[in-house]
Amino acid sequence: MRSRALGYSALFFLSGATGLVYELLWVRLLYQSFGSTIQSVTTVVAAYMGGLGLGAWLLGRRADRHPRPAALYGRLEIAIGVFGIVSPAVLGLARHAYVGAAAALGAGSLGSLALRFGLAALVLLVPTTLMGGTLPVLTRALTGTDRAALKRWLGRLYALNTLGAVVGAALAGFVLIEHVGIRVSLWVTAAVNVGLGAAAIALARPLQVLPTLPDPGRKPGEHGTRDALHTVALVLLGCTAFASLLDEIAWTRVLVMVVGGSTYAFTLVLVVFLLGIGLGSALVARRSTERAVTAASAGLAQGVTAAGAAGLFVFFSWLPLYILAVFQIDGLGPTARLLLMGLAVGAVVLVPALG
């Protein structure tokens, strides 16, 4: 079991890393196709979040009824890799469709923006839906029918996946785009996806076929009842997701004006944002408490997030002065300058992201 858990943990980490490499590369491709604007960042983030949610809902249900979820995960990774290879051509076709449709319809600025967003989001919804299915499918492969293992592992695996995303975002934003190039980076990342898929299929071969779970969240004979705490938790999760992504886009917008260079600003925010989420998940995963205590902890986390977000108004007032001071230091190389800017972003973003 230990070796299998280590193997699946590596898959979780690398899956998160490749997903964020794709996100940064596709942001850059949209810059080239539709212009370097905050709308390009927003389009990719919206498509990612929508696809991840849709994939988790659709493919998570399928995983509960699949006899070999590890093999299903492998096929998902291979499909993601295939799309990664053809994504420049597909986004190029979307650009040509946008130009033709905008000219034929005589779309104004608002109609043009909606058309760009719709076409790009439609294209990116395909791979992101596949990515969204990887976490629940691989979780099912690791925990099987053991509900206790599911509760114990879910937070840890989510943290591991998110910390892998931190590595992928930093690698793409600071190394691959600048020094390797977009197309080669896409090919290498696609090869990693295919390798992950092949490894997962190989891991699935000696395993026993899992029984179908009609309702994996409950014990046999247990009826589905929702109390007020359950409903409040769902509403809170939705509101938290909405506010978190709103904060991410707003922070990126501010840092673009202060730091300059949309890719670097987006990467800095994304790395710190994901690092906070991953560390927060890892801390929570260590605790196993009653529902009421967990609900109180969630309320405390919301308070920390709100306090950190409110403190941003103070930090943003002195951030331009700090950036100017960094650029006026003689003999400071680009890497050291980037690290100093990253420290400033970390001071601004990490606390609310942890919450």
Side-chain angles (χ1 to χ4, degrees):
M1 174 64 182
R2 182 176 177 81
S3 61
R4 182 160 64 94
L6 288 174
Y8 283 133
S9 297
L11 292 178
F12 269 102
F13 183 86
L14 292 173
S15 179
T18 57
L20 266 293
V21 170
Y22 281 128
E23 180 172 351
L24 269 297
L25 294 176
W26 287 334
V27 165
R28 177 58 73 174
L29 283 176
L30 284 182
Y31 285 174
Q32 296 175 354
S33 298
F34 299 122
S36 179
T37 62
I38 194 65
Q39 285 82 13
S40 299
V41 173
T42 305
T43 299
V44 173
V45 171
Y48 253 75
M49 294 302 104
L52 292 178
L54 183 63
W57 180 59
L58 292 175
L59 295 170
R61 289 167 172 258
R62 181 174 175 79
D64 295 332
R65 294 163 176 78
H66 199 282
R68 294 188 179 277
L72 175 60
Y73 166 81
R75 289 192 284 272
L76 290 175
E77 286 288 353
I78 291 172
I80 293 167
V82 170
F83 188 92
I85 294 173
V86 302
S87 58
V90 176
L91 287 172
L93 289 174
R95 179 180 180 277
H96 289 303
Y98 158 71
V99 172
L105 297 173
S109 58
L110 187 59
S112 175
L113 177 62
L115 191 59
R116 277 185 295 172
F117 177 86
L119 286 172
L122 188 63
V123 169
L124 294 180
L125 198 62
V126 175
T128 55
T129 299
L130 298 175
M131 292 176 187
T134 57
L135 182 62
V137 170
L138 199 53
T139 302
R140 158 76 165 151
L142 175 61
T143 60
T145 58
D146 188 352
R147 289 184 68 207
L150 177 62
K151 292 180 180 180
R152 185 175 65 252
W153 276 97
L154 186 58
R156 299 176 187 176
L157 295 176
Y158 181 75
L160 194 61
N161 189 260
T162 305
L163 293 176
V166 172
V167 174
L171 185 64
F174 301 135
V175 179
L176 295 180
I177 293 174
E178 186 75 20
H179 302 289
V180 179
I182 295 175
R183 290 186 180 273
V184 175
S185 298
L186 283 170
W187 294 339
V188 172
T189 309
V192 173
N193 283 123
V194 173
L196 290 176
I201 292 172
L203 282 173
R205 287 196 185 114
L207 300 179
Q208 294 181 348
V209 174
L210 294 178
T212 299
L213 294 180
D215 196 347
R218 303 184 182 95
K219 297 178 182 178
E222 182 181 355
H223 297 289
T225 56
R226 291 187 179 182
D227 55 15
L229 184 59
H230 188 278
T231 303
V232 169
L234 290 178
V235 173
L236 183 62
L237 283 172
C239 293
T240 301
F242 174 82
S244 298
L245 269 296
L246 192 65
D247 284 340
E248 182 183 345
I249 297 299
W251 295 335
T252 302
R253 180 65 169 173
V254 171
L255 286 171
V256 165
M257 294 187 290
V258 175
V259 178
S262 296
T263 300
Y264 285 140
F266 181 53
T267 302
L268 283 171
V269 171
L270 197 59
V271 166
V272 178
F273 187 74
L274 291 171
L275 181 62
I277 291 175
L279 292 176
S281 298
L283 290 173
V284 171
R286 291 176 173 270
R287 303 176 60 186
S288 179
T289 57
E290 298 295 328
R291 295 179 69 206
V293 178
T294 302
S297 299
L300 177 62
Q302 292 296 315
V304 171
T305 301
L312 296 181
F313 292 103
V314 177
F315 284 112
F316 281 144
S317 64
W318 61 258
L319 187 59
L321 299 176
Y322 174 83
I323 297 300
L324 286 174
V326 168
F327 276 92
Q328 289 174 355
I329 299 175
D330 294 329
L332 195 64
T335 302
R337 187 176 291 118
L338 190 62
L339 287 174
L340 288 176
M341 289 191 292
L343 287 176
V345 175
V348 171
V349 176
L350 188 60
V351 172
L354 275 170

